[in-house]
Amino acid sequence: MSAPRNRIGLLGLYGVLFFAFIYAPIILIVVFSFNANPVNMMIWSGFTLDWYRSIFGLSTGLDELSLYVQSTDQLLKAVRNSLIVALTTTLVATVFGTSVALAVARFRFRLRSFYRALMFMPMIMPDIVLGIALLVFFVSFGMSLGLVSIIIGHCTFLTSYVFIVVSARLAGMDRSLEEASADLGADGWTTFRKVTLPLILPGVIGGALLAFIISMDDLVITYFISGVDSTTLPVFIYGMLRRGIKPEINAIATVMLVFSFVVASLGLYLRSRGK
Amino acid sequence: MTGRQAASHGPNALRRQAALALLLAAPTLFLAVFFVGPLALMFVYSWLEPGLYGGVEWTFYHLNFGRIFGWANTRYESFDPVYLRIFARSLWLALQTSFFCLLLCYPAAFWVSRLGPRARNLFIFLITLPFFVSLVVRLFAWVLLLRPTGFVNQALLGLGLVERPLEIIYTEAAVVIGMVYVFIPFMFLPLYASVEKLDASLVEASQDLGASRFQTFRKVVLPLTLPGIVGGSIIVFIPSLGNFVVPSLLGGAKVMMTGNLIEQQFLSARNWPFGAALGMTVMAAVLLLLVVYVRLLARDDDAAPSGARS
């Protein structure tokens, strides 16, 4: 390509600005989470780790009034709830999503296109619609809102995410290996265990990680179907933000950032190795 | 493959039937109860009469939709177009969000497509990475930036560009900025997929044949990347339309969207049938949009039977 140089230059400049737009807000949070100024978070007045100490429940020299989380118990409970929900959901949604993906990709049956449409439904539906539908359902049938209702709610839409990731993997897979295995006398189960499963495993793990991240982060659906005692981390932070802003949020946000970066990088690394 | 499945007799076929049933039984049961069930129930709710103290009366009642669309001029209430206005605003803000996402991502997609393979993968990773960062965290960043004492205002004051802090947060603009920021990965990926497929030789041919840059863009580049443009716009439009987190954090009480209205009906006004009717309306709008999109795609495929598009 012998495109004129100045055009590439302009486009390159634009690329830099684009990335600045994407990353500046995130970097800002990280930087200001170390800012000692308790009154205005945007004016730098020295380096401190106090906000981190505060969220981890260590002693700080801070005035009680400048703190959000009076006790870290609430925060830790929200983290624990989030982890319980995300881990359970990931397990169930991965099994369900992979099963349906296998059925749709490897079997011919009358309702195949119906299942495919069903799996795309949650992807195209606005979150809030599913959230209120689940709320109405749980309350109408007298189910109490809590961790179980959140897990059920998350499984309904995360099954689709796993389905889509695993389906993509199945579609790109070489069918002849499975046929060879069958020709060599392996029964269906052995073929699945020794050939199909190892081949789709990167897709399954990728789908599971995606489900885990989305479940950890889901706010809208959880917001409607979490009970009083079952606040998850995003709902907890959302509540904090609605009450007002204090510097500790920066530290909490930074910890969450690091966590999601690690999980996402791990997922993409695994995916690139699977190819 | 087909040979194996054509043999629909014998124990083998039976075992395959059993395997299929085993794969589908649990997910089917689960989704029938907890996905199809709630949606059906919500549909029913939207046609029921709200009870006096928050509950629901099991009688047919069409005025939930009447309150939205204007036939609720009864003895007890006169129609107020406030809900239609909120709905129109949601449509308008979602449209703006799609437009600005497109405007930002289109050049970026070209930029990334021209990088070397290693850099390209890295940048695609970097663009999708924020999607994995918690939504509340990303929005919190914008609250910090846009507040009267926030970063943007500090910078503007410091540079002497304004004398008093601007009112950016709690405006429609803030809501659009927030939604654009959140949905950039949704726009970028489909757009990039179609930009990457764009055959450079077609662009060169067009220029060799004497077309100006603008003509080449309008007649070659734009039509060929149209699937990505339309796809990305719809993928951004749908979650923007029903959004309630962004407007509640960045729009405050001033910029109410349908999502906030629905939340209000469920969590404070406790008029569930009306909230359900609003939810159904959003859903209907989304489905309508998708039907149009699928129709367009089908027409597109008919027009280009070469099978170049996968």
Side-chain angles (χ1 to χ4, degrees):
Chain A
M1 287 262 290
S2 57
R5 187 167 269 171
N6 73 328
R7 219 170 70 200
I8 293 289
L10 267 183
L11 209 54
L13 185 70
Y14 177 79
V16 172
L17 286 176
F18 183 71
F19 272 94
F21 178 68
I22 293 180
Y23 279 96
I26 295 176
I27 293 167
L28 206 73
I29 291 183
V30 177
V31 171
F32 280 90
S33 69
F34 298 106
N35 181 9
N37 191 334
V39 182
N40 190 331
M41 281 180 272
M42 286 289 130
I43 296 170
W44 186 262
S45 70
F47 179 88
T48 182
L49 286 175
D50 275 354
W51 310 120
Y52 288 92
R53 282 177 200 278
S54 153
I55 60 170
F56 288 113
L58 302 169
S59 65
T60 58
L62 295 165
D63 177 12
E64 280 283 303
L65 282 176
S66 60
L67 293 182
Y68 246 128
V69 192
Q70 307 293 323
S71 69
T72 47
D73 292 359
Q74 287 173 300
L75 180 66
L76 290 180
K77 197 174 169 207
V79 171
R80 215 196 51 194
N81 283 343
S82 278
L83 284 172
I84 293 173
V85 168
L87 288 171
T88 317
T89 302
T90 303
L91 194 72
V92 178
T94 305
V95 172
F96 282 0
T98 307
S99 305
V100 180
L102 278 168
V104 168
R106 289 293 182 267
F107 291 85
R108 241 161 235 287
F109 53 102
R110 217 174 298 153
L111 290 172
R112 235 174 98 196
S113 47
F114 166 77
Y115 274 96
R116 209 174 275 148
L118 183 71
M119 286 291 127
F120 274 98
M121 276 279 278
M123 313 283 291
I124 57 164
M125 214 160 53
D127 297 354
I128 194 165
V129 174
L130 187 56
I132 58 175
L134 285 164
L135 173 67
V136 169
F137 182 83
F138 288 139
V139 172
S140 301
F141 286 90
M143 268 186 74
S144 61
L145 299 176
L147 290 183
V148 175
S149 66
I150 302 177
I151 291 169
I152 289 174
H154 283 196
C155 288
T156 57
F157 69 100
L158 289 173
T159 297
S160 311
Y161 282 80
V162 177
F163 168 84
I164 284 166
V165 175
V166 176
S167 291
R169 183 82 196 174
L170 277 164
M173 205 177 108
D174 189 358
R175 210 58 160 296
S176 58
L177 290 170
E178 284 172 327
E179 278 159 26
S181 162
D183 289 346
L184 290 170
D187 60 27
W189 171 240
T190 312
T191 303
F192 172 73
R193 211 161 42 91
K194 301 258 175 171
V195 181
T196 317
L197 193 61
L199 280 171
I200 62 167
L201 202 59
V204 175
I205 293 173
L209 279 172
L210 187 67
F212 181 78
I213 293 177
I214 296 178
S215 173
M216 277 297 281
D217 184 38
D218 179 72
L219 171 61
V220 178
I221 291 163
T222 316
Y223 181 71
F224 285 99
I225 56 174
S226 63
V228 190
D229 276 341
S230 55
T231 312
T232 61
L233 191 57
V235 176
F236 182 73
I237 295 177
Y238 178 69
M240 281 167 80
L241 283 177
R242 296 239 287 194
R243 270 179 276 138
I245 285 181
K246 298 216 170 163
E248 277 166 302
I249 289 200
N250 280 322
I252 299 174
T254 305
V255 174
M256 288 173 73
L257 269 173
V258 172
F259 179 76
S260 25
F261 275 16
V262 169
V263 177
S265 307
L266 188 74
L268 287 162
Y269 171 72
L270 282 175
R271 213 181 66 184
S272 67
R273 264 189 33 159
K275 270 178 188 164
Chain B
M1 172 71 229
T2 38
R4 197 147 42 101
Q5 279 178 352
S8 56
H9 302 287
N12 211 356
L14 216 65
R15 284 178 79 167
R16 280 186 70 80
Q17 289 281 331
L20 180 62
L22 196 70
L23 283 174
L24 287 177
T28 305
L29 193 66
F30 180 84
L31 290 175
V33 175
F34 293 114
F35 182 70
V36 180
L39 288 176
L41 188 64
M42 191 183 75
F43 177 75
V44 173
Y45 252 71
S46 67
W47 295 101
L48 295 179
E49 189 171 348
L52 224 47
Y53 305 104
V56 60
E57 304 285 338
W58 284 86
T59 47
F60 177 76
Y61 186 76
H62 55 81
L63 291 182
N64 295 317
F65 288 101
R67 279 177 79 189
I68 306 173
F69 294 109
W71 67 80
N73 261 323
T74 60
R75 199 138 54 92
Y76 302 106
E77 65 176 303
S78 56
F79 172 64
D80 184 351
V82 64
Y83 304 116
L84 268 185
R85 266 206 299 271
I86 292 174
F87 201 71
R89 178 192 292 143
S90 303
L91 284 171
W92 172 231
L93 294 185
L95 202 66
Q96 285 186 52
T97 304
S98 288
F99 175 76
F100 286 113
C101 266
L102 179 64
L103 208 64
L104 281 172
C105 290
Y106 201 59
F110 277 94
W111 176 61
V112 172
S113 74
R114 286 183 192 180
L115 296 168
R118 281 188 75 97
R120 201 185 308 158
N121 284 336
L122 177 70
F123 282 114
I124 293 172
F125 170 68
L126 286 177
I127 289 169
T128 42
L129 193 56
F131 170 74
F132 297 104
V133 174
S134 172
L135 177 76
V136 267
V137 168
R138 283 182 288 160
L139 288 173
F140 165 63
W142 282 97
V143 175
L144 284 187
L145 282 163
L146 299 178
R147 283 189 314 162
T149 56
F151 202 77
V152 171
N153 271 315
Q154 298 282 345
L156 289 174
L157 287 169
L159 292 170
L161 289 173
V162 294
E163 286 169 10
R164 263 179 296 148
L166 295 177
E167 294 281 332
I168 313 175
I169 198 167
Y170 308 136
T171 62
E172 289 190 359
V175 175
V176 173
I177 292 173
M179 290 202 292
V180 167
Y181 184 73
V182 168
F183 295 131
I184 274 184
F186 289 30
M187 175 63 86
F188 183 83
L189 291 178
L191 209 53
Y192 174 76
S194 67
V195 166
E196 196 204 15
K197 267 191 289 185
L198 182 68
D199 192 348
S201 60
L202 288 175
V203 178
E204 279 164 31
S206 159
Q207 280 172 343
D208 289 348
L209 291 170
S212 71
R213 253 190 218 166
F214 178 70
Q215 279 172 323
T216 304
F217 177 74
R218 208 169 57 90
K219 301 256 175 179
V220 180
V221 177
L222 195 63
L224 285 174
T225 52
L226 202 60
I229 293 175
V230 177
S233 302
I234 287 179
I235 294 174
V236 171
F237 188 85
I238 290 174
S240 305
L241 188 65
N243 209 303
F244 92 96
V245 182
V246 181
S248 86
L249 288 178
L250 293 172
K254 283 189 203 155
V255 188
M256 195 185 231
M257 288 175 68
T258 315
N260 307 85
L261 190 61
I262 294 175
E263 184 214 349
Q264 218 179 54
Q265 296 309 317
F266 275 90
L267 300 182
S268 49
R270 300 200 63 82
N271 185 345
W272 287 17
F274 183 54
L278 287 165
M280 292 307 300
T281 310
V282 172
M283 180 105 171
V286 166
L287 285 178
L288 194 71
L289 193 73
L290 283 168
V291 169
V292 172
Y293 174 55
V294 171
R295 278 274 171 85
L296 280 178
L297 270 190
R299 214 186 54 187
D300 234 33
D301 280 348
D302 288 344
S306 60
R309 207 171 282 119
S310 58

